[in-house]
Amino acid sequence: MIEYLIAAALRFRVAVIGLVLLLVAAGAWAFANINFDAFPDLTPNQVQVITVASELSPNEIENLVSYPMETAMMGLPRTLGVRSISICTQSVERWHSQR
């Protein structure tokens, strides 16, 4: 089997050289057009939860929405921290985790 492949490659030298040049050109084109990031993303994973409660004051949003959401998120695996902001009609919680 190997002898047949070698004999065929020697018999069809021009085709083999053309195929090799085609593969080299395709590899050079792929390398020139590859998308890669020179600097890795080192920021931790982050999830942001925004809740809207238009009828509640910021103090009520903190007590009824933000605090229960924060305590529930702190129980998630690989949690690094939870931060929240309660403003008029909105509560924003950010959950940070390990990669």
Side-chain angles (χ1 to χ4, degrees):
M1 179 73 182
I2 262 305
E3 292 98 15
Y4 174 74
L5 285 174
I6 293 172
L10 290 174
R11 195 169 338 133
F12 301 109
R13 279 182 212 137
V14 176
V16 170
I17 291 172
L19 184 62
V20 168
L21 290 176
L22 181 70
L23 287 174
V24 168
W29 178 83
F31 183 73
N33 293 322
I34 192 169
N35 293 326
F36 62 91
D37 199 4
F39 301 102
D41 184 16
L42 300 176
T43 58
N45 291 341
Q46 179 180 0
V47 175
Q48 187 170 359
V49 179
I50 301 173
T51 54
V52 177
S54 58
E55 65 279 350
L56 299 177
S57 69
N59 203 12
E60 291 173 320
I61 290 175
E62 177 71 31
N63 293 332
L64 298 175
V65 178
S66 295
Y67 182 72
M69 185 85 68
E70 259 185 70
T71 55
M73 285 181 172
M74 285 303 288
L76 293 173
R78 298 187 312 264
T79 298
L80 293 177
V82 177
R83 297 177 187 260
S84 70
I85 298 172
S86 299
I87 56 175
C88 205
T89 72
Q90 282 189 355
S91 170
V92 180
E93 287 84 25
R94 287 193 183 115
W95 173 74
H96 300 275
S97 72
Q98 297 173 348
R99 289 195 175 257

